Amino acid sequence: MRRWLVVVLAAVLLVSLPVAVRHRPGGGPPTRPTAELLARVQGSGDVGWSGRATSRGSLALPSSDSFATLGQLLGEQVDLRAWWRSPRSWRVDRIRSTGETDTFRDGGGQVRWIFESERATFSPVSRIRLPDAVDVLPATLGRDLFQGARLDELTALAGRRVAGVDAVGLTLHPSGTETTVDHVDLWFEPATGLPLRVDLYAKGADLPVLTTAFTDLTLDAPDPDAVRFSAPAGVTLAYEESTDVAAAANALEQLDLPVSVAGLATRDGRDPGAVGVYGRGPTTMIVFPLRGSVARPLREQLDRNAGTTQTAAGTLAPIGPITVLLTRLPGRGGGFLLAGTVTPETLTAAAADLQEQP
């Protein structure tokens, strides 16, 4: 998780106001965007809380095995229960009718516990990975979408009641021509800046393509035991080197991607390895190599999408605000996967930049 500096006033309000604000009646007037409010939202990762949230997405992503979880997160209703102490200490449970999958983060490692199969797996935390259940929580998604936002991109939004909190609203209109996102509506707890509800709208859409909101919230740091995994009797903790295909590619592939592609710099400003995440705010793009065993079934899935076209750059598939481009590399059917909330022209330009790499 990214860390941001928080202004001194926000720290004072964190101590003195959250309980009082939580019980105020809802529906306050629009609040003028200020650098202070934006800093609170961006710096809310260290705010402790526990609660429940529901995310609803309408994106029909490919159902390839390597990306099955991502498709579920962005294309279905997801019910979550979470305890948050800090970006390095949390627990998120994804609750389903057949059981649940719990993820525990403890420093540099995480444990995934699948209840119905009684399987527990430890893996090191990778700086580069695909989105997971923790990333569609309103608190984490709101911070990420407002990462790098500028004041001239923000407008006031009428407040609303969210999980018993009188939330303040802001709308973010990304200014770049490369984005497929029209705007993001965010409501947050005013004293701490904790995002409580996020609605993301694609260009040309009247309804949000992704909504996530708290349904229940307690603004107190949970007990350390609440985020600590204790293996049930008879369960052995297995080990995996990588959490997903993106983390594996970043760890194993001998590639060095550029710091900027198609005019988009890396989100964290660092020089990427084999996998790069570019852009800012709701405009984001991931680039990573796929081996033939992963690229071939994904290419087949993309070909089934009605909007897919074959271009000189590769297989191009717009899916709502997300655009996917799978290039071809000489050899065994592998390629670069480029995907994000950017236009087809941006992905094509990015693929051209990759071809120029030594």
Side-chain angles (χ1 to χ4, degrees):
M1 296 293 172
R2 303 173 182 84
R3 291 185 176 273
W4 294 79
L5 294 178
V6 189
V7 293
V8 175
L9 181 57
V12 174
L13 290 172
L14 173 61
V15 175
S16 61
L17 292 183
V19 174
V21 171
R22 190 162 60 232
H23 296 288
R24 286 205 325 240
T31 299
R32 182 173 60 87
T34 65
E36 179 184 308
L37 283 177
L38 181 58
R40 288 186 212 173
V41 172
Q42 294 171 335
S44 61
D46 288 320
V47 177
W49 57 267
S50 59
R52 290 176 177 264
T54 296
S55 170
R56 295 181 179 88
S58 59
L59 301 177
L61 295 183
S63 57
S64 172
D65 289 344
S66 299
F67 304 95
T69 299
L70 181 59
Q72 294 165 2
L73 289 175
L74 301 181
E76 301 176 4
Q77 175 171 315
V78 180
D79 296 315
L80 303 168
R81 179 177 59 220
W83 296 259
W84 186 277
R85 290 180 55 80
S86 76
R88 294 173 57 85
S89 179
W90 47 260
R91 170 184 173 180
V92 178
D93 300 349
R94 183 183 172 192
I95 305 167
R96 305 183 307 277
S97 59
T98 56
E100 64 180 68
T101 299
D102 307 341
T103 304
F104 300 76
R105 170 74 188 270
D106 182 15
Q110 72 175 37
V111 174
R112 189 179 302 273
W113 163 246
I114 303 177
F115 177 80
E116 55 265 42
S117 65
E118 296 189 340
R119 180 186 178 191
T121 306
F122 173 88
S123 60
V125 174
S126 175
R127 182 174 64 89
I128 300 294
R129 59 174 177 78
L130 295 177
D132 204 349
V134 64
D135 301 298
V136 295
L137 286 168
T140 48
L141 182 63
R143 277 193 300 275
D144 192 52
L145 292 178
F146 274 60
Q147 176 264 338
R150 301 193 299 259
L151 281 181
D152 60 3
E153 297 175 314
L154 302 179
T155 56
L157 182 64
R160 66 185 298 168
R161 196 78 168 169
V162 182
V165 177
D166 186 15
V168 172
L170 291 175
T171 296
L172 168 61
H173 291 271
S175 58
T177 59
E178 67 279 352
T179 186
T180 57
V181 173
D182 184 78
H183 68 278
V184 179
D185 290 341
L186 173 73
W187 289 269
F188 59 95
E189 201 278 329
T192 63
L194 185 72
L196 305 179
R197 178 184 173 113
V198 179
D199 291 349
L200 186 148
Y201 290 80
K203 288 184 176 178
D206 295 326
L207 297 175
V209 295
L210 180 64
T211 292
T212 178
F214 281 111
T215 57
D216 180 73
L217 179 66
T218 299
L219 274 170
D220 294 305
D223 189 278
D225 288 341
V227 300
R228 185 178 298 124
F229 177 72
S230 297
V235 173
T236 301
L237 190 63
Y239 177 81
E240 289 183 349
E241 292 185 357
S242 303
T243 56
D244 56 47
V245 65
N250 195 54
L252 299 177
E253 294 288 346
Q254 299 299 312
L255 294 172
D256 186 17
L257 295 182
V259 178
S260 175
V261 291
L264 297 176
T266 54
R267 288 182 73 91
D268 60 7
R270 297 165 64 177
D271 187 9
V275 179
V277 183
Y278 302 88
R280 66 179 180 87
T283 304
T284 188
M285 176 179 63
I286 187 168
V287 179
F288 62 97
L290 293 181
R291 296 180 179 180
S293 59
V294 178
R296 280 191 294 270
L298 177 59
R299 191 174 285 114
E300 292 173 359
Q301 288 289 330
L302 292 174
D303 284 338
R304 297 190 184 107
N305 179 36
T308 297
T309 57
Q310 299 298 327
T311 71
T315 303
L316 182 66
I319 308 169
I322 295 178
T323 310
V324 178
L325 174 62
L326 182 56
T327 72
R328 291 184 182 273
L329 293 177
R332 300 180 179 178
F336 277 106
L337 176 65
L338 302 88
T341 51
V342 295
T343 63
E345 293 79 11
T346 301
L347 289 189
T348 301
D353 288 345
L354 294 176
Q355 288 184 343
E356 296 176 0
Q357 288 293 110

